[in-house]
Amino acid sequence: MANREHIKIGIIGCGEIAREFKAFFKIVKNAKFVAAADTEFKRAKRIAGKECAYTDINEMFDKEDFDVLYIATPHYLHRDHIKLAFENGKHVFCEKPAGISVEDAREIYHLDKKYPHLKLGFNYQYRYDQKCFELSNGINEGVLGDIYYANCNVYFSRDSSYFNDADWRITKKFAGGGTLITQASHIIDIMIWALGEPKTVIGKIKTIKFKNIDTEDLGFGIVEFENGVLAQINSSMIVEPPFESTKGMVELLIFGKKGRATYSGPVPSSLNWYGVKNYSPKKMYNYAPYIAGSLEAFADWILNDIPYLNTIEESSKVLRLICALYKSSETEKKELVEKLF
Ligand SMILES: NC(=O)c1ccc[n+]([C@@H]2O[C@H](COP(=O)([O-])OP(=O)(O)OC[C@H]3O[C@@H](n4cnc5c(N)ncnc54)[C@H](O)[C@@H]3O)[C@@H](O)[C@H]2O)c1
């Protein structure tokens, strides 16, 4: 598609994140959206206007001309919607996570291989935050020397409206889990990007504040990576009082032989290196920050073949780790992080 200036996107799932995306389309130059589908017509209409709104995705495939299906449906539907998109010849930009189970990730991997001419990326947008890139890149370049350990903290606050608006979020079989899979998965993706393959976990999850949900509102984990590095995860959606903005709601701290690095985010984000001299991180890209940048990068993959950073192989690592945390909490034993194969 080298001779095209933008890709055309159809959306499935017109809830909270799709509404945010509508605003991003105004600043993203290389992607335009043309149509939207949702089981609730008024949601699709709010995103795309009456003429380009659908309740039947197949009708949208038949009537609209677009290159990419952006999937923003509940987690348990990601696998089936990826399959449907590929069967209809569309590239896929899918919201995180890569399904709700390791089996989902495996099936998606096979689909990805079955349609090699179609591209599949997952919207783990922290990868398009320059600070996250500098952190991961610096660690991989050995700026901190040998890594001793890491710590990631997620401080979200939710009230009952978060679940009332979308009851799939309270149901394990639809969401796959709670705060770990929904909120922490972004920073876990960055931690994996910096530290490599996770090997074993000990997990403990609990539902403390929201009694009528069967997903966790608090999740802890200890992870051992293949390289022996230990990391601790604390993820909450019950922090009181809520943060006034998203500043500082997510942290990743990495401790090494020569110093330490502390990331705080997601928006705005900051990164500080301690004990490190003369490290000048390279600039990674010129995309817009955060979600808009992630979308631009995906479009760049389609248009100019510049690889997008979060493929099924990468996003499966997050899912496999989180599934192992859930299993460990259930078995009360240390669990292996399942391999993709
Ligand atoms: N990248 C991010 O920062 C970010 C932020 C929020 C949500 N998300 C992800 O986006 C996805 C959606 O989350 P949300 O918060 O927008 O949820 P939501 O409940 O607000 O929206 C989901 C929408 O999907 C629709 N839907 C359900 N089943 C459908 C079907 N079979 N066909 C068509 N539409 C269907 C629902 O009617 C709803 O409008 C999830 O994967 C979530 O994890 C990502």
Side-chain angles (χ1 to χ4, degrees), residues 98-115:
I100 56 170
S101 64
V102 179
E103 290 71 35
D104 277 358
R106 285 190 188 120
E107 199 172 324
I108 292 168
Y109 174 88
H110 286 305
L111 285 167
D112 190 42
K113 300 304 153 212
K114 188 174 168 189
Y115 295 92

Side-chain angles (χ1 to χ4, degrees), residues 21-72:
F21 256 89
K22 194 179 170 186
F24 294 127
F25 279 113
K26 293 187 184 126
I27 55 171
V28 168
K29 301 263 181 305
N30 59 359
K32 301 207 181 314
F33 96 92
V34 298
D38 196 293
T39 40
E40 290 190 37
F41 185 73
K42 66 174 190 293
R43 291 185 173 211
K45 188 173 108 183
R46 194 167 46 198
I47 299 283
K50 198 171 154 193
E51 302 305 317
C52 304
Y54 297 86
T55 49
D56 178 355
I57 179 73
N58 291 310
E59 200 183 333
M60 183 166 99
F61 284 131
D62 285 347
K63 292 193 176 157
E64 299 285 345
D65 170 28
F66 59 99
D67 312 295
V68 174
L69 185 68
Y70 167 54
I71 298 173

Side-chain angles (χ1 to χ4, degrees), residues 12-18 37-40 43 72-75 77-78 81 95-97 123 125 166 168-169 186 291:
I12 184 163
C14 301
E16 192 181 306
I17 190 68
D38 196 293
T39 40
E40 290 190 37
R43 291 185 173 211
T73 47
H75 302 167
L77 293 170
H78 291 182
H81 284 152
E95 270 306 333
K96 37 65 64 169
N123 186 30
Q125 73 266 11
W168 65 269
R169 294 178 181 143
H186 285 288
I291 293 189

